C-alpha cells in the first residue's frame, strides 16, 4: 500500500510507545498512557456491542490454557496496567482494487493479471491448474490465500505412496528450512505490499521439517493485534510457497469505555471457573446409608478439588479479532501473557476490555429443527474445533458423537467464510444404544484454499475455533 493508503506508517513512534506502555508485569507494572480525544463536549454513547463468538476471546492457540473452563485461576505476578479510558472498535470497510491485488501478486511472484470472478479476485494458471495461484476476497478485509500446485501425477509416471500426492496437491519441497533471517527477508516484500511492515514477527515455526513460517501480527491504530495474523510459508529455496492473511486493515469505528487489566483478569477468572482437578481424595462411591446395619456414621463426601493456577507475567492493551453482529472486527482487548509449564513456550490469553455494561446480550443461536423419526437423521452436531492441512483445502472438524451413529460433514463456501455442517445417522435405529461419548473427526475437501476465511458451525452460525 502507498503511504496515503496506510496512515499508520507515520505514527510508528506512537505505536512503539503504546506497545511499551502495555508493560511486562515481571518488570514492576505500570500504567498505559493514552492521548485524550481532542475537541470539547462529551461524545455520544456508542451502540451496545454484540459479540457473536462464545467467550470473550478470539480463541486460543494449541497448547494454550483454555479460559472457557477447567477450573483455571490466573494470578498476576505484579501490578497490572490500567489502560486507556476508551478505545475504538475497528471494522472492515471498502473494497479491494485490482491494483492492490496486482501489487501483492508481484511480491509473491505470481504471474498474470487479476480477474474478478463473483466476489473474488483471482490469478491462477489456465491449463492444468499447476503453478502459482492467488485468491483475494473483493470485500474488506480482503482475505487472501496464496498456494502453489504441481498438477499431480499423470498415468503411471509416479508410483503410489507419500512421494506421489493426489492431483492438485503440492509436492513436498526437498531440503532443510531456511534460517529465520532468510525467512524474514523473503516475507518483507509481501508484508510491504499489504502495508504490514511494522507487524510483530514470529519465525520459529517449521512445517514438515522443510518450510519455515513467518507469522505476522499487524499493528492497527497504533495497537498490537491478536487473531488477525498474516502467515507466509517460505520454502527451502527461500521463496514463498503458501500464505494467507488480510489485505485491508479494519477502519476505526466508535469508541467504547474500557476496563483495566485488573478488572479484565477478574472477569477472565469468573469465566474460567470450573470443577478443577479432582485428586486422589475424591469420592469414588457414595457413602453408605445411615440406616445400614454396621455402617459407620454418615459423613459428607467432599471431592478434593484443586483449581489449576497459572501465573500472568505480562499484560498489553491491544485489539483482538472477534465476530460482531456476524462480521469480523477488531475489539479492544487485554492480551495476557501466561507463564508456561516446564519445556513449553509462554502463551497468550485474551479478554475483551470493553466495559461489560456496553456489551449487548449474546444472541441465542437458532436451534436446528429435529427431523421426524421416519427421516432417520438426528440433529446436527455442534463442532468443537477445526484443523487445516498444508494445502489449505483439507478441513478437518472435531466434535463429540456416539458409538452407534455414522457422521458426515459438508461445507458451504463463500468469499468470507466456510460453513461446515455435521449430520448424524443412527447405524441401527431399532437397536438400543449405550450412551458413550467419543471424539469424532471428519474431513471435507474445499474447492478453494481456506486462507483467511472464517470457519463457522452451519447449525448454530457461530465461529469454530482453530485447534
Amino acid at each position: 500500500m502507498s503511504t496515503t493508503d496506510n496512515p499508520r506508517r507515520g505514527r510508528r513512534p506512537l505505536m512503539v510507545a503504546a506497545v511499551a506502555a502495555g508493560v511486562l508485569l515481571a518488570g514492576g507494572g505500570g500504567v498505559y498512557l493514552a492521548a485524550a480525544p481532542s475537541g470539547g463536549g462529551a461524545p455520544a454513547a456508542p451502540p451496545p456491542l454484540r459479540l457473536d463468538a462464545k467467550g470473550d476471546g478470539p480463541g486460543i492457540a494449541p497448547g494454550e490454557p483454555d479460559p472457557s473452563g477447567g477450573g483455571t485461576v490466573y494470578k498476576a505476578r505484579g501490578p497490572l496496567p490500567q489502560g486507556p479510558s476508551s478505545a475504538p472498535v475497528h471494522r472492515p470497510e471498502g473494497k479491494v482494487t485490482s491494483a492492490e491485488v496486482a501489487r501483492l501478486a508481484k511480491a509473491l511472484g505470481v504471474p498474470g493479471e487479476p480477474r474478478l470472478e463473483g466476489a473474488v479476485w483471482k490469478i491462477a494458471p489456465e491449463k492444468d491448474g499447476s503453478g502459482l495461484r492467488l485468491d483475494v476476497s473483493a470485500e474488506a478485509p480482503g482475505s487472501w490465500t496464496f498456494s502453489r500446485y504441481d498438477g499431480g501425477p499423470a498415468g503411471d509416471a509416479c508410483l503410489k505412496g507419500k512421494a506421489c500426492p493426489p492431483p492438485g496437491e503440492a509436492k513436498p519441497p526437498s531440503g532443510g528450512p531456511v534460517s529465520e533471517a532468510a525467512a524474514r527477508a523473503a516475507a518483507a516484500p509481501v508484508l510491504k505490499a499489504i502495508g504490514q511492515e511494522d507487524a510483530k514477527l514470529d519465525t520459529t515455526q517449521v512445517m514438515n521439517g522443510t518450510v519455515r513460517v513467518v507469522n505476522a501480527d499487524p499493528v492497527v491504530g497504533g495497537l498490537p493485534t491478536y487473531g488477525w495474523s498474516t502467515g507466509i510459508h517460505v520454502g527451502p529455496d527461500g521463496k514463498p510457497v503458501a500464505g494467507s492473511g488480510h489485505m485491508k486493515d479494519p477502519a476505526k469505528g466508535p469508541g467504547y469505555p474500557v476496563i483495566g487489566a485488573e478488572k479484565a483478569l477478574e472477569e477472565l477468572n469468573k469465566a474460567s471457573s470450573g470443577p478443577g482437578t479432582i485428586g486422589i481424595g475424591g469420592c469414588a462411591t457414595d457413602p453408605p446409608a445411615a440406616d445400614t446395619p454396621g455402617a459407620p456414621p454418615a459423613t459428607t463426601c467432599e471431592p478434593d478439588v484443586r483449581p489449576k493456577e497459572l501465573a500472568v507475567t505480562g499484560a498489553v492493551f491491544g485489539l483482538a479479532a472477534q465476530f460482531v453482529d456476524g462480521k469480523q472486527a477488531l475489539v479492544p482487548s487485554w492480551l495476557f501473557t501466561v507463564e508456561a509449564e516446564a519445556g513449553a513456550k509462554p502463551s497468550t490469553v485474551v479478554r475483551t476490555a470493553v466495559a461489560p455494561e456496553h456489551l449487548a446480550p449474546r444472541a441465542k443461536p437458532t436451534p436446528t429443527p429435529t427431523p421426524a423419526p421416519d427421516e432417520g437423521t438426528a440433529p446436527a452436531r455442534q463442532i468443537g474445533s477445526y484443523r487445516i492441512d498444508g494445502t489449505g483445502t483439507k478441513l478437518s472438524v472435531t466434535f463429540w458423537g456416539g458409538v452407534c451413529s455414522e457422521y458426515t460433514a459438508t461445507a458451504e463456501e463463500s468469499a468470507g467464510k466456510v460453513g461446515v455442517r455435521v449430520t448424524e445417522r443412527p447405524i441401527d435405529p431399532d437397536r438400543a444404544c449405550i450412551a458413550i461419548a467419543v471424539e469424532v473427526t471428519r474431513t471435507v475437501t474445499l474447492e478453494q484454499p481456506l486462507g483467511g476465511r472464517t470457519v463457522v458451525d452451519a447449525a448454530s452460525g457461530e465461529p469454530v475455533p482453530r485447534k
Side-chain angles (χ1 to χ4, degrees):
M1 293 184 181
S2 65
T3 304
T4 55
D5 292 335
N6 189 5
R8 73 166 183 269
R9 293 183 185 176
R11 304 178 196 162
R12 225 173 195 183
L14 177 60
M15 177 277 295
V16 174
V19 175
V23 99
L24 282 181
L25 304 185
V31 177
Y32 182 98
L33 301 177
S38 60
L49 191 68
R50 187 181 300 278
L51 305 178
D52 298 339
K54 293 181 179 179
D56 283 310
I60 54 175
E64 293 184 0
D66 187 353
S68 63
T72 302
V73 175
Y74 299 94
K75 289 195 174 181
R77 186 179 291 172
L80 293 165
Q82 177 58 37
S85 60
S86 65
V89 172
H90 289 68
R91 302 174 188 252
E93 289 183 5
K95 294 183 179 294
V96 176
T97 66
S98 174
E100 290 172 325
V101 177
R103 184 163 58 243
L104 175 58
K106 181 179 179 180
L108 290 167
V110 180
E113 296 295 326
R115 62 181 184 275
L116 186 61
E117 296 184 8
V120 179
W121 288 103
K122 294 185 178 182
I123 305 179
E126 297 181 356
K127 294 183 179 180
D128 59 357
S130 62
L132 303 178
R133 173 172 185 150
L134 176 63
D135 296 86
V136 183
S137 174
E139 296 287 338
S143 301
W144 62 270
T145 59
F146 163 65
S147 55
R148 182 193 301 269
Y149 290 91
D150 294 324
D156 297 327
C158 183
L159 299 177
K160 294 181 179 180
K162 292 184 178 180
C164 190
E169 291 191 9
K171 296 178 182 177
S174 58
V178 299
S179 67
E180 293 190 40
R184 288 170 181 259
V190 180
L191 296 174
K192 183 178 181 180
I194 57 178
Q196 295 183 7
E197 312 96 293
D198 52 5
K200 177 184 177 182
L201 304 184
D202 185 333
T203 54
T204 58
Q205 182 183 2
V206 175
M207 298 178 60
N208 302 320
T210 59
V211 175
R212 188 173 293 279
V213 182
V214 178
N215 291 301
D217 292 314
V219 174
V220 175
L223 293 174
T225 60
Y226 184 87
W228 200 260
S229 298
T230 293
I232 302 171
H233 299 198
V234 181
D237 60 355
K239 296 180 180 180
V241 296
S244 63
H246 307 285
M247 289 202 66
K248 285 184 173 293
D249 288 345
K252 180 179 178 180
Y256 285 84
V258 295
I259 57 178
E262 183 176 350
K263 177 64 175 178
L265 190 62
E266 180 183 325
E267 295 292 325
L268 177 63
N269 280 325
K270 288 180 182 179
S272 65
S273 61
T277 303
I278 299 179
I280 299 176
C283 299
T285 59
D286 293 332
D291 57 355
T292 301
T299 59
T300 302
C301 182
E302 296 182 355
D304 179 17
V305 178
R306 299 188 297 274
K308 185 177 181 180
E309 187 174 302
L310 296 174
V312 172
T313 60
V316 172
F317 189 82
L319 300 170
Q322 291 225 50
F323 276 81
V324 178
D325 294 325
K327 296 182 179 181
Q328 285 182 302
L330 288 174
V331 179
S333 303
W334 283 103
L335 315 179
F336 294 104
T337 300
V338 177
E339 187 176 58
E341 298 179 359
K345 295 174 59 177
S347 56
T348 300
V349 173
V350 180
R351 184 68 189 181
T352 296
V354 175
E357 60 270 22
H358 289 272
L359 296 175
R362 296 184 183 277
K364 296 182 178 180
T366 303
T368 303
T370 303
D374 57 358
E375 292 183 18
T377 303
R381 288 278 172 173
Q382 183 177 12
I383 301 171
S385 62
Y386 80 89
R387 295 178 184 271
I388 193 72
D389 74 337
T391 68
T393 58
K394 302 292 184 182
L395 179 67
S396 299
V397 293
T398 301
F399 52 93
W400 289 100
V403 296
C404 300
S405 297
E406 294 178 340
Y407 300 92
T408 57
T410 55
E412 300 174 0
E413 300 184 47
S414 65
K417 66 181 180 180
V418 174
V420 181
R421 185 180 300 276
V422 174
T423 55
E424 174 184 356
R425 182 178 298 275
I427 298 174
D428 187 350
D430 298 326
R431 184 178 179 181
C433 178
I434 184 171
I436 297 178
V438 293
E439 194 173 56
V440 182
T441 298
R442 291 291 180 267
T443 301
V444 294
T445 301
L446 304 180
E447 295 180 359
Q448 304 290 345
L450 178 62
R453 293 184 293 176
T454 303
V455 177
V456 299
D457 187 329
S460 65
E462 295 191 1
V464 178
R466 183 169 181 171
K467 186 174 181 181

